[in-house]
């Protein structure tokens, strides 16, 4: 049974920083990729950052240069370092584990609220 647990959300002022963590109960190399998504009220869920098994990363244009996705293989944990946060970054952030093709549905964490406000 795979579980993903997010932590590190909270309230931060504009320009501040926050680091989200996603702890996975199992090897992160069991998956094709790990990613962070976010959804703000009234908006569709969007991919924020993604890291595939070989370490390549991709980012949404809106966060490029401000956010960094990384992983600690020994701890089976994926991180999202968020710098220079803006009010428009306010959303529920969810950790996602992509299954290898044809092996089943993706796994999701419960989500972490990030609120950027003065």
């Amino acid at each position: 049974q795979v579980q993903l647990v997010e932590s590190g959300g909270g309230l931060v002022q504009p320009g501040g920083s926050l680091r989200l963590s996603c702890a996975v109960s199992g090897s992160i190399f069991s998956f094709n990729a790990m990613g962070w998504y976010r959804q703000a009220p009234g908006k569709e869920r969007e991919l924020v950052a993604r890291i595939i098994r070989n370490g390549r990363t991709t980012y949404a244009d809106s966060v490029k240069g401000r956010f960094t996705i990384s992983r600690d293989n020994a701890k089976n944990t994926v991180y999202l370092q968020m710098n220079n946060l803006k009010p428009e970054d306010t959303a529920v952030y969810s950790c996602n584990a992509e299954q290898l093709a044809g092996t089943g549905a993706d796994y999701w964490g419960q989500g972490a609220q990030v609120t950027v406000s003065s």
Side-chain angles (χ1 to χ4, degrees):
Q1 183 72 28
V2 175
Q3 293 179 319
L4 281 63
V5 180
E6 299 103 333
S7 62
L11 175 65
V12 65
Q13 295 182 342
S17 298
L18 206 62
R19 188 179 75 164
L20 301 179
S21 299
C22 175
V24 182
S25 62
S27 175
I28 59 177
F29 292 103
S30 298
F31 307 103
N32 181 61
M34 301 292 299
W36 287 96
Y37 291 75
R38 69 185 182 187
Q39 186 168 24
K43 297 182 179 180
E44 295 183 352
R45 186 176 63 189
E46 65 172 339
L47 175 65
V48 176
R50 182 172 176 264
I51 182 168
I52 61 176
R53 293 174 75 224
N54 68 3
R56 176 179 287 188
T57 59
T58 59
Y59 299 91
D61 288 342
S62 60
V63 307
K64 196 170 298 182
R66 299 188 297 120
F67 290 12
T68 303
I69 187 170
S70 62
R71 65 191 182 195
D72 186 328
N73 298 334
K75 295 182 178 180
N76 289 313
T77 300
V78 178
Y79 304 96
L80 183 67
Q81 178 67 46
M82 303 181 290
N83 297 326
N84 191 25
L85 283 160
K86 303 175 180 180
E88 52 263 43
D89 294 319
T90 296
V92 175
Y93 287 72
S94 299
C95 183
N96 167 262
E98 297 179 16
Q99 293 270 42
L100 295 167
T103 61
D106 289 3
Y107 293 95
W108 292 88
Q110 291 296 110
Q113 177 69 49
V114 172
T115 302
V116 184
S117 176
S118 60

